Amino acid sequence: MTTRWDALRARWPRSNGHWSLRPRATRRPAPATVIYRWDLDKTYLKSDFESLRKMMRVPFERARDKIDEPGVVALIRALKASALREQRTAFVYFISASPPQIGRAIREKLALDGIEFDGILFKDQLQHLVRGRFRLLREQVGFKLAELLRARLSAPAGAVEFLFGDDWESDPIIYSLYADVIAGRLEHDALADILVRLRIDPARLVEIKALSQKIAPADAVRRIFINLERRTPPDRFRSFGARLVPTFNYFQTALVLYEEGVVPLAAIVDVGRSLLERSAYSAARLRNSLDDLARRGYVAPAAAVALRAELEEAGVLPSTGVLGLWPRQLWRRWRRRRQRARAPMAPAIAAAAIEYPRLIDAWVASGSRLGGEPS
Amino acid sequence: MPVIAVDAMGGDFAPDEVVKGVARASLGTAIECVLVGDEPRIQKILESVSYNPEHISIRHAAEFVEMHEPPKEALRAKRDASIVVGAKLVAEGHAQALVSAGNTGACILACARHFRTIKGIRKTALASVYPRQTEYPGQDQLALLLDVGATIRCDALDLAQFAVMGSAYARRVSKVERPRVGLLNMGAEPFKGGDVLTEAYQRLSALPGIDFVGNIEGNDVAKGRADVIVCEGYVGNVVLKLIEGIAEVVTDVASNAVKRRFMWRLGMMLLARGIREVAHLADYTKYGGAPLLGFEHLFLKAHGRSTARAIENAVKVAAKAVRDGVPQEIAAGIEAVR
């Protein structure tokens, strides 16, 4: 028989032998098999394509010249390590529209960073050049979508996917389309219409349609993370739905992945520490990042409260320093926390079908290039 | 990096322009801003623009003081007003300076209630920078006028203290090594202007560490004779509004002339670059805001009509003043003349 005492104990868990006044946050259970698909430039690497001169320099860069995005190395290492620790299967793949000629430097860079990966795919630009298919040199939506679908065909059944891209090119559209195609949410005619709007090469269009027909429908993509490298206003991604999470740094990404149950708290701490030690972040910047994510609704209020406390204890976030506050303020703070903790968990944005035609038109009109530089 | 509290709800175009200004500052600098105001509204505006969340936090305040409200009554009725919450944040050490484009009276009153005045200071002063002629190459194009509205009437000692405060600000923020201080008066002679100004003249002449250049008449305000001009708040406010008004009249006259005759239009076209330069110099959005000097903490009053650019610059000026230790410089100056 459950006593009132047991109920109280369940509500207020013990932490380090002391009674904690923090309510337990609910996380999603971790899937058994997870695939993490990463874009390379501007997502993993801080590639500089701002000028033609800088772009031309990229193929000649050595591994040690390449700079990774702050926190990304710690996060990818944590993805693999946590799966290993919890006896789950995790695959890390990279996909890039850059030519395979830079592959050696990239592989060396990944080795230098201590990243274990299961595959890396480049776009064979030379083949297009030899065949005179110049239009395909700059096209990346069709290339990435086709390759993602091909990769899905060989993925283990039931594998859940997390996709990582950036706000420079067309990653939000490519990843969202991919997620909806493998979930069986897009009819073949609708898909064809979208691909035409995206000005995909006819041969590639046929290939994508054929691949999509072969895939057994499964709602496998849980989250699409877009690294806001260009600081694109998050509002612009609202029409992609709650599945797509625009994040300003990899600390925010780690927080959402923790909520998804695929990394432990230690992973957030690792990413936070890497930002503090390697990228001159301050604890206050990390706290602001967590608060921003909570305000945008990607971390539930109760979870944000619990996370803040845990990360303060780990020394990643600055201590709130409650000592010295007036009792009345303390009481207000306590009451506010309880109210937040009682609030039901809700998704940030109501899940709704994406209106691709409207979205693509708006995306093109707003100046986002579909195709263009390699990503 | 200093933490600057910004009253998101103060100003004619608040909260939109204020939030956008802070968002701009977050992208270009490492200054941390605390936006004080209606959290959901602030967040909604933030998400519609480019910003860096690492440098922005939000402190919710349920109420705000409107521009037309009587300050005393408003602060009495609205205890959770954004300007009050912002002032408390600074007073409690969560931020080092406060910026607001809101109701000036309410801002000064909120600061007076929550900030401590520097030891020895009797009255605080609102200082404003304005463009002026330069007398020699390398001279700062901006001069400082104080007080422009924190007080109404002052005595000679207050004016002497204003000189110390203005000099400290000019030394630290404008990097003028030895600022020249003038006393705004109705004549150049030391005995002009009545008892208060005569005594102020004597006090300023005797102040150590102050480069007093004598009385400054109205026609000398826009010239390069003094880097800091001291006056009563009532007079300073009239002078400041007059400068603003003249700039508006010049623009208005020029735009009317363009419409009337073709030759005038041609002339204006030839003068266009020069006019643009003058307009650029007189553009208040460039200067950020007016610092309220005399408190242990810094408050920067931005123009009521502040745009995002003006707020961005106000945040930068506030951060610079904090970094350069303006309140500490004022305290040292006051201590030296006591």
Side-chain angles (χ1 to χ4, degrees), chain A residues 227-249:
Chain A
N227 179 31
L228 296 176
E229 223 268 346
R230 211 160 53 151
R231 300 286 182 240
T232 305
D235 238 10
R236 280 186 48 189
F237 299 95
R238 206 159 272 274
S239 33
F240 287 96
R243 181 179 55 199
L244 187 141
V245 187
T247 56
F248 287 90
N249 53 46

Side-chain angles (χ1 to χ4, degrees), chain A residues 45-63:
Chain A
L45 292 174
K46 253 190 176 310
S47 315
D48 201 344
F49 296 138
E50 266 93 294
S51 67
L52 189 68
R53 199 174 150 196
K54 285 174 181 169
M55 209 171 127
M56 295 297 284
R57 205 185 289 159
V58 172
F60 305 103
E61 276 179 354
R62 288 167 298 181

Side-chain angles (χ1 to χ4, degrees), chain B residues 15-17 19-20 40-49:
Chain B
D16 290 60
E17 289 297 311
V19 175
K20 284 176 187 171
R41 261 179 97 181
I42 293 171
Q43 183 61 26
K44 199 173 172 210
I45 299 162
L46 265 184
E47 284 181 41
S48 67
V49 294

Side-chain angles (χ1 to χ4, degrees), chain B residues 22-281:
Chain B
V22 168
R24 282 171 65 148
S26 77
L27 293 173
T29 68
I31 303 165
E32 195 189 331
C33 291
V34 184
L35 278 162
V36 186
D38 185 348
E39 188 177 307
R41 261 179 97 181
I42 293 171
Q43 183 61 26
K44 199 173 172 210
I45 299 162
L46 265 184
E47 284 181 41
S48 67
V49 294
S50 291
Y51 71 105
N52 185 348
E54 294 159 9
H55 299 146
I56 299 174
S57 56
I58 302 177
R59 179 61 70 96
H60 182 72
E63 299 164 302
F64 62 94
V65 178
E66 305 249 14
M67 296 298 269
H68 61 267
E69 282 188 274
K72 256 188 189 169
E73 287 74 12
L75 289 196
R76 197 179 299 136
K78 298 174 176 178
R79 289 175 183 254
D80 198 21
S82 55
I83 186 66
V84 177
V85 176
K88 278 185 188 169
L89 275 179
V90 177
E92 287 166 5
H94 299 295
Q96 279 84 55
L98 174 64
V99 171
S100 177
N103 185 318
T104 309
C107 290
I108 294 171
L109 207 59
C111 290
R113 282 187 188 168
H114 298 285
F115 294 179
R116 277 199 306 207
T117 44
I118 291 167
K119 201 178 167 190
I121 295 232
R122 300 186 342 153
K123 278 181 184 164
T124 55
L126 198 59
S128 177
V129 289
Y130 66 94
R132 51 97 186 258
Q133 276 182 354
T134 49
E135 282 193 338
Y136 54 88
Q139 191 182 14
D140 193 0
Q141 283 187 315
L142 303 172
L144 194 71
L145 180 72
L146 75 166
D147 171 40
V148 294
T151 62
I152 297 177
R153 293 286 179 205
C154 309
D155 63 22
L157 182 59
D158 297 329
L159 290 170
Q161 289 193 339
F162 290 175
V164 174
M165 295 195 287
S167 289
Y169 188 83
R171 257 195 314 274
R172 285 296 169 113
V173 176
S174 309
K175 306 292 177 206
V176 184
E177 209 172 301
R178 198 169 161 73
R180 293 182 299 176
V181 179
L183 175 67
L184 190 61
N185 205 334
M186 55 190 283
E189 299 81 1
F191 52 83
K192 283 280 179 78
D195 294 343
V196 171
L197 292 180
T198 309
E199 193 194 333
Y201 189 101
Q202 286 163 0
R203 278 182 178 272
L204 286 167
S205 306
L207 269 182
I210 296 291
D211 187 7
F212 182 54
V213 293
N215 285 339
I216 297 283
E217 289 183 273
N219 57 342
D220 280 338
V221 169
K223 291 179 184 167
R225 252 189 82 200
D227 302 303
V228 176
I229 296 177
V230 293
C231 58
E232 291 180 320
Y234 168 74
V235 180
N237 195 275
V238 171
V239 171
L240 194 70
K241 296 282 160 70
L242 191 69
I243 295 171
E244 272 182 30
I246 289 171
E248 278 171 23
V249 167
V250 168
T251 320
D252 198 43
V253 167
S255 53
N256 277 335
V258 164
K259 287 175 199 157
R260 287 173 66 183
R261 285 192 191 171
F262 175 73
M263 288 306 283
W264 290 358
R265 193 180 304 165
L266 205 65
M268 289 300 287
M269 278 169 71
L270 291 170
L271 282 171
R273 198 174 153 195
I275 292 170
R276 263 201 305 274
E277 271 180 29
V278 172
H280 184 65
L281 195 66

Side-chain angles (χ1 to χ4, degrees), chain B residues 304-316:
Chain B
R305 284 177 286 160
S306 282
T307 57
R309 183 175 179 240
I311 295 294
E312 181 192 5
N313 286 328
V315 166
K316 285 181 186 171

